[in-house]
Amino acid sequence: MATRIVIAGGTGTVGRLVTEIAAGRGHETAVISRSTGIDLRTGDGLDAVLRAGDVVIDVSGSQAMSASAAIRDFETMTRNLLAAEEHAGIRHHVVLSIVGVDTSENGYGYYQGKLAQERAVAAGAVPWTLLRATQFHEFAGQMAERMKFGPFVLVPRMRSQPIAARAVATRLVDLAEGKPAGRVGDVAGPRIERMAELTRRYLRAKGLPGHVVEMSLPGAFGRQMRDGSLLAGVHTHLAEQTFAQWLVEQTGSDGQAKTPRPVGIAGIPIVRAPLPDAPEPSLSNARELIAGLTTAGMPITLRIEGAERPLPPRIDEAAFRALQEGVGLVLSRARGVDAAAVVRYLPHAVEVEVSHEPGGLTPQASQSTSLSRSRSTVRALGGAVDSGDRADGVFWVSATIPTPQ
């Protein structure tokens, strides 16, 4: 059933896509923006645009960075909007917020403003739905453009789980077509990434100059950017499109650095390709870890068992580190035999296991028989590591970590 959807912030990154998607589904749309003569801060023009509306999708933003200014902006805009909606008889208010805002009570000012917005919506009289999303794939391009100083692009040290803005816009329109539902499940991208690397890849894909310098921001928000507080939680819907896929869609290139081809004679390589840099420590990147090793000539495969799901950041990183150490240990033990890595998503735990088939051992094999670097972290999380030789000569190592329900 077609409705009239009013989009607050309809000229922004997500707002433009919300407007396009809603119109494509046959809904009548109207945009709230200062460029259309409607000001959320003063309320000018709101009554007229909302008069014939049914649903409002609020993706408005603020340029304020300090906590006091951001809180004032978002509270003022939200209260003005809700008051006009109530007067016009709007039946559903859908608002977009950010994953992790409730971990930033004393952190990033903008996030405190978004949290104030959430509270104002919940306290208002208009039935509402709240969606939180992680940063967008488009954020890398914004970094490249806004943080360029001479030949350098300054990027905060940040672990991100980016999602395409179009996926978020689609979800918002889905919610607008339904009934008010309060806070719904968060949405995030499928992989954990490092923002500096995404920015490098964006620059390469676009053919733009700039040397990316990764820096650690001070204070609580800087720590949150680094420690995983802004990543998706356990009960999150993961979108399918990766940053690399989005970048190809936008530019025709995935922005990967080109590695030199192996030197060889008559097509037979003399040396393996360079070993790849390890991806961000998350089981969402296990496939990339193993794919990089196989490309470099390492005889290893990966199998995923069970339904993949987001894990708490500490558990996610610890499991990846155990997998990474296990792969290194197993590949260094045996000569000329295949190895296998397995990630198992169990009902109440996650398990990683790496093994190699029977074969000749290296002189260093007896010195490395267990996960020594990962053991203390895994045990601190209530898990266990194990290793051993089976009767058929297969060696294996594993780590199991309980997961919250």
Side-chain angles (χ1 to χ4, degrees):
M1 177 179 175
T3 58
R4 188 169 193 261
I5 300 177
V6 182
I7 302 97
T11 58
T13 301
V14 182
R16 288 193 299 270
L17 295 169
V18 168
T19 304
E20 174 192 321
I21 293 166
R25 294 186 184 182
H27 300 295
E28 184 181 351
T29 62
V31 169
I32 294 174
S33 168
R34 280 183 291 181
S35 65
T36 62
I38 307 169
D39 195 334
L40 286 173
R41 289 172 179 79
T42 65
D44 292 343
L46 284 177
D47 289 339
V49 75
L50 293 172
R51 190 171 296 128
D54 299 303
V55 181
V56 168
I57 298 178
D58 185 4
V59 289
S60 59
S62 168
Q63 297 299 314
M65 291 293 107
S66 72
S68 59
I71 291 171
R72 183 173 60 250
D73 261 9
F74 279 110
E75 285 183 342
T76 299
M77 292 189 297
T78 302
R79 287 170 181 165
N80 286 341
L81 183 56
L82 291 174
E85 288 178 21
E86 186 178 5
H87 183 261
I90 296 294
R91 58 180 172 78
H92 190 184
H93 180 95
V94 180
V95 62
L96 176 64
S97 191
I98 306 169
V99 168
V101 289
D102 47 1
T103 68
S104 301
E105 291 277 4
N106 298 308
Y108 186 31
Y110 187 87
Y111 278 31
Q112 292 188 57
K114 290 296 290 183
L115 191 58
Q117 180 189 41
E118 290 187 7
R119 290 169 176 159
V121 168
V126 180
W128 54 276
T129 300
L130 168 67
L131 175 70
R132 288 181 179 176
T134 52
Q135 289 76 25
F136 305 139
H137 292 325
E138 288 82 350
F139 193 45
Q142 295 170 7
M143 286 282 108
E145 294 166 8
R146 298 175 185 175
M147 301 301 291
K148 194 170 191 302
F149 300 90
F152 302 106
V153 178
L154 305 183
V155 178
R157 190 177 301 277
M158 178 180 184
R159 300 182 72 209
S160 178
Q161 198 162 343
I163 183 172
R166 180 171 290 277
V168 177
T170 300
R171 179 62 176 146
L172 288 168
V173 177
D174 291 342
L175 294 170
E177 292 173 334
K179 295 180 179 179
R183 183 179 171 189
V184 296
D186 302 344
V187 292
R191 292 166 44 86
I192 294 176
E193 312 268 14
R194 186 172 292 276
M195 186 53 62
E197 178 57 23
L198 300 187
T199 307
R200 289 188 186 98
R201 292 179 66 169
Y202 178 86
L203 291 169
R204 292 189 201 110
K206 296 284 285 186
L208 298 173
H211 177 69
V212 173
V213 178
E214 189 177 36
M215 58 183 183
S216 295
L217 296 184
F221 184 61
R223 289 194 298 273
Q224 289 160 350
M225 295 176 86
R226 298 188 296 272
D227 68 11
S229 297
L230 305 182
L231 301 177
V234 175
H235 303 292
T236 300
H237 172 74
L238 300 183
E240 294 182 0
Q241 189 179 48
T242 66
F243 177 81
Q245 291 168 338
W246 172 84
L247 195 56
V248 169
E249 182 181 272
Q250 298 296 313
T251 69
S253 168
D254 64 5
Q256 287 276 29
K258 304 303 180 184
T259 55
R261 298 176 65 181
V263 177
I265 298 174
I268 302 173
I270 296 174
V271 295
R272 289 182 173 130
L275 287 177
D277 293 332
E280 271 299 284
S282 164
L283 284 184
S284 67
N285 296 334
R287 290 183 178 86
E288 181 181 346
L289 174 71
I290 302 304
L293 291 170
T294 56
T295 299
M298 300 297 178
I300 185 166
T301 59
L302 173 68
R303 187 169 75 253
I304 307 290
E305 297 181 356
E308 294 182 62
R309 62 182 187 271
L311 301 171
R314 290 184 63 206
I315 294 174
D316 192 25
E317 180 172 355
F320 180 88
R321 297 292 189 194
L323 175 67
Q324 187 178 28
E325 182 184 2
V327 167
L329 188 159
V330 166
L331 288 176
S332 67
R333 280 180 53 91
R335 289 195 182 101
V337 298
D338 291 338
V342 183
V343 177
R344 299 186 179 96
Y345 289 89
L346 306 174
H348 305 294
V350 62
E351 180 179 70
V352 298
E353 179 180 301
V354 189
S355 62
H356 68 65
E357 296 179 352
L361 300 181
T362 67
Q364 296 81 23
S366 61
Q367 300 173 18
S368 301
T369 58
S370 66
L371 300 175
S372 57
R373 295 194 303 274
S374 307
R375 182 186 299 116
S376 60
T377 303
V378 170
R379 288 179 175 173
L381 294 169
V385 301
D386 203 355
S387 62
D389 290 288
R390 294 207 302 255
D392 58 3
V394 170
F395 172 80
W396 57 272
V397 292
S398 71
T400 306
I401 309 174
T403 56
Q405 301 305 303

